[in-house]
Amino acid sequence: MDDLVVVGAGPYGLSVAAHAAAAGLGVRVLGRPMASWRDHMPEGMYLKSEPWSSNLSAPGGRYTLAEYCATRGLAAEHGSPLPIGTFSAYGLWFARHAGLPEVEETTVTEVAPEGGGFRVRTAEGPPLLARTVALAVGVMPFTRYPEPLRGLPPSHRSHSSGHRDLSRFAGQDVAVLGAGQAALETAALLAETGARPCLVARRSRLNWNTVPQPLRRPLPRALRDPHSGLGTGWRSWVWSELPRAVRALPAPTRERIAATALGPAGAWWLRDRFEGRVPALMGHRLHRAVAAGGRTRLGLTSPDGESVVLDTAHVIAATGFSPRLARLDLLDAGLRSALATVGGSDAPELSPGFESSWPGLFFAGLLTAPSFGPSMRFVHGAGFTAGRLVKGVRKRLGARGPLPGSTGGVRPVRSPAGHPETYLR
C-alpha cells in the first residue's frame, strides 16, 4: 500500500504532495496538473489575488510565485495582476521542482474502502491501494447552474468554467448570469472578442474592489486596514490568517461564514474594461429558460416585478460552485453517506488535521470551507492546509502501524461506528 494517494493536482493537491514527500511518506499524485487553470479558464484572464498571496506551499516557504517569475524575468508585484497562463505555468514549475513525485495524469473513477485503507480505481490502469487518501479535487465537480437553465440543451447553455476560448461567440448575443469576478471578466472578454454580451444579475448593484493600498504604509493605516491573503481589513485578515479559529466556531456560524463572507465583487483593474462596454440588467431574477430554435429565451423578473424576456444565442452561467459531497461521484456511496457533515450542509466535518470522520480519508480545498472558512476557496488556503493535513496523515499512519521505513507488527484501525474493525499491516 502507498502511504498516501492525493487525488487532484491543482494548487492544493501539489502542495499536500510536496509536504508529504518532504515528510518521507510514500505518496502518489493522480490528476492533470493545474487542470482547472489550464483547461477551464479563457485566454486573457488574470489572477485576481495578489502575487504574494497566490503561492503554492512547500516546506520552508520555498518555490513561491515570485521565485518562479524571477527565473523568467517576469514581475510579480503588488497591485499588478498576473495572467492566468503565468500562474498555470508556475504550478507546473512547482510540480517539477518542489520534490514531489511525478504527477500521474490519470482519471480517478472511484475511492472505496479496502481492508484497512482504500482502493483507488482509475480509468487508465489497475486499482491502487492506499493507507490514506487526500481528496483535493478542485472546483470542477461542483459547478452550479440556476435551476431554470438545467432543462436547456447543452448547446444553449454553459458554465463559465467550461470555456478555454471565447472567440467562438464573436458576433453573437450572449447572456452572462452572475455578479462576481468570473461573470464580469467573462463578459468583458466576450466584448473584447467581438461578441455582444449582456450581464444579468440578481444584485441591485455591482461591487468593485478598490485599488490595493501599498504594502508599506504608516503604522496607523496598517493597523486600521491590515493586508491579508484575502484582501484588506480586519475581517479579511481573520478569514485569511485564522482558519483554526474559524473551525472552533459553532457549525451554523461556520456555514454562514463560508456561504456569505467575501461576496461577489469585481477586481479594480477590470472596471474600465466592463463599464460602458457591457450592458447590465441589475436586480433581475431568472425564472424561466426555453430553447426557441437556435436561440434561448430567458424569462426575467425586473426589480419592479415586471416580466422581461431576453432573447439570446447562448447563456453562460458564471454562478459559482456548490461544494457538496453528493456531487463527488468518485467517492464510494456507502463511504460518502457515512461521513459526518457540518451542520445542515453537505460538506465533511473535519479534524484540525483535515481528516474526515472516516479514518484515513482527508479533504483539501473547496469542500473544507465550512470547516475552516473562506480562505479554503482560494489558493491562499493551501499554505494553511498542506502542512497540517500531512501532520494528520502521519498521525493516522502512526495509529495504524509503523511509519514508512520502520518495522513492526500489525496494529488495529479504529473504524467508524457501524463498520467492522479492520487491520492494516
Side-chain angles (χ1 to χ4, degrees):
M1 283 187 171
D2 296 299
D3 292 325
L4 171 65
V5 168
V6 179
V7 180
Y12 280 82
L14 295 176
S15 297
V16 168
H19 281 262
L25 301 182
V27 58
R28 296 174 74 167
V29 191
L30 310 181
R32 176 168 163 79
M34 303 296 289
S36 293
W37 305 85
R38 295 164 66 191
D39 304 333
H40 298 280
M41 296 188 187
E43 294 182 8
M45 275 196 164
Y46 282 82
L47 195 65
K48 187 182 182 186
S49 56
E50 294 295 331
W52 55 266
S53 67
S54 304
N55 298 312
L56 278 66
S57 179
R62 299 187 60 197
Y63 309 108
T64 64
L65 178 55
E67 185 178 344
Y68 166 76
C69 287
T71 67
R72 300 298 189 274
L74 304 173
E77 300 175 349
H78 178 70
S80 180
L82 282 176
I84 288 294
T86 299
F87 183 72
S88 301
Y90 160 60
L92 299 179
W93 175 85
F94 181 95
R96 293 193 301 270
H97 291 84
L100 57 153
E102 184 175 356
V103 178
E104 301 171 50
E105 288 205 32
T106 185
T107 303
V108 174
T109 58
E110 183 186 45
V111 174
E114 177 81 14
F118 301 89
R119 178 185 67 250
V120 181
R121 293 190 184 277
T122 69
E124 291 82 4
L128 313 177
L129 296 178
R131 303 176 77 184
T132 62
V133 169
L135 295 179
V137 297
V139 299
M140 292 311 299
F142 310 116
T143 52
R144 175 193 293 151
Y145 280 96
E147 183 63 36
L149 294 188
R150 295 176 188 174
L152 287 177
S155 59
H156 287 248
R157 51 91 171 164
S158 58
H159 195 270
S160 57
S161 62
H163 298 285
R164 186 73 182 90
D165 181 6
L166 292 171
S167 63
R168 57 171 280 211
F169 296 111
Q172 299 183 44
D173 302 311
V174 182
V176 180
L177 307 185
Q181 176 70 9
L184 299 172
E185 194 168 9
T186 296
L189 287 169
L190 283 166
E192 291 165 0
T193 56
R196 296 184 295 273
C198 176
L199 189 83
V200 180
R202 294 179 300 177
R203 302 177 69 89
S204 60
R205 58 185 295 272
L206 295 176
N207 292 329
W208 296 96
N209 299 132
T210 58
V211 178
Q213 299 179 32
L215 284 178
R216 295 184 178 180
R217 300 167 292 162
L219 183 60
R221 287 182 61 191
L223 290 176
R224 185 170 60 250
D225 291 308
H227 282 300
S228 77
L230 302 185
T232 303
W234 279 106
R235 181 169 296 186
S236 294
W237 187 90
V238 170
W239 306 150
S240 172
E241 309 306 321
L242 298 177
R244 183 181 296 177
V246 174
R247 185 186 170 276
L249 296 172
T253 304
R254 284 184 276 141
E255 287 181 76
R256 178 177 52 80
I257 290 171
T260 61
L262 304 174
W268 61 272
W269 45 261
L270 181 64
R271 191 167 186 171
D272 289 342
R273 293 168 54 193
F274 180 90
E275 292 184 336
R277 302 195 65 185
V278 180
L281 296 175
M282 305 305 300
H284 283 65
R285 293 181 172 271
L286 175 68
H287 61 80
R288 186 168 59 93
V290 295
R295 297 181 67 81
T296 301
R297 291 176 183 165
L298 302 181
L300 309 173
T301 303
S302 71
D304 56 11
E306 293 185 359
S307 293
V308 177
V309 176
L310 178 63
D311 184 81
T312 187
H314 191 82
V315 185
I316 296 179
T319 45
F321 305 89
S322 179
R324 297 168 50 228
L325 284 167
R327 305 284 298 277
L328 206 54
D329 293 336
L330 63 82
L331 196 57
D332 173 78
L335 189 162
R336 190 170 62 230
S337 64
L339 293 176
T341 56
V342 178
S345 75
D346 190 25
E349 182 71 80
L350 302 172
S351 74
F354 289 83
E355 187 175 19
S356 71
S357 59
W358 190 288
L361 181 63
F362 295 77
F363 288 85
L366 189 60
L367 272 171
T368 72
S371 286
F372 291 97
S375 63
M376 303 298 114
R377 292 161 31 197
F378 301 92
V379 173
H380 183 71
F384 177 84
T385 300
R388 289 167 177 83
L389 189 151
V390 169
K391 184 177 179 180
V393 168
R394 295 191 65 181
K395 181 179 179 181
R396 173 55 55 192
L397 292 175
R400 288 182 165 183
L403 286 171
S406 65
T407 60
V410 177
R411 297 177 65 182
V413 181
R414 186 182 62 195
S415 296
H419 295 269
E421 192 75 12
T422 55
Y423 294 83
L424 186 72
R425 65 183 63 181

